[in-house]
Amino acid sequence: MDNSEAIDALIELGLSTYEARVFTALIELGEGTAREVAKTSDVPRSQVYTTAKELQSRGFISVQRANPQVFQPISLSEVESQLSREFESKRDTAFDRLETLERQTAPSAEQSEDVWTITGTPAITRLLSSHPRRSDEEGRRR
């Protein structure tokens, strides 16, 4: 995986473009000043400081208060754990809200007998496996 693939993957995981570039540069460098990170990441030096604060607040890097400041990535396993926790939290929040919405609208949806079109092998398989007796009974009636 080259840098651009790593950056794209981090963006998919929720990092901003600058966060992904700076973090990837720090992994490549091991540690670096804003000037070194800017050169490696193609992020303007003034933005490296802002981005580094964001990455530090997320628990992805540490900052050595020197002159100049030195930035260092946290271990990849710790960053992976942090991203997993962030994802799980967002997933849980989303599905809690969706379940609340479903409970609020479920009675009217259950009373309705609309006709639905289902496409795609996974969706059809899931539907058939969830109603095996129903499809067997209908097949025997014909």
Side-chain angles (χ1 to χ4, degrees), residues 41-87:
S41 67
D42 290 328
V43 172
R45 191 171 78 179
S46 62
Q47 291 300 310
V48 168
Y49 291 104
T50 305
T51 304
K53 284 182 184 178
E54 288 297 319
L55 289 169
Q56 183 183 27
S57 72
R58 291 181 76 168
F60 292 5
I61 69 168
S62 61
V63 179
Q64 181 184 3
R65 303 288 179 205
N67 193 6
Q69 290 182 341
V70 178
F71 308 106
Q72 185 176 36
I74 302 297
S75 76
L76 289 178
S77 62
E78 289 180 42
V79 172
E80 182 180 16
S81 294
Q82 179 62 24
L83 281 171
S84 292
R85 285 189 298 274
E86 287 179 15
F87 173 81

Side-chain angles (χ1 to χ4, degrees), residues 9-54:
L10 288 170
I11 291 168
E12 288 290 320
L13 291 171
L15 274 69
S16 71
T17 301
Y18 280 178
E19 287 172 337
R21 286 182 181 178
V22 167
F23 186 72
T24 303
L26 285 170
I27 294 296
E28 185 178 337
L29 295 168
E31 68 177 30
T33 63
R35 174 174 278 134
E36 294 165 334
V37 172
K39 183 178 178 183
T40 304
S41 67
D42 290 328
V43 172
R45 191 171 78 179
S46 62
Q47 291 300 310
V48 168
Y49 291 104
T50 305
T51 304
K53 284 182 184 178
E54 288 297 319

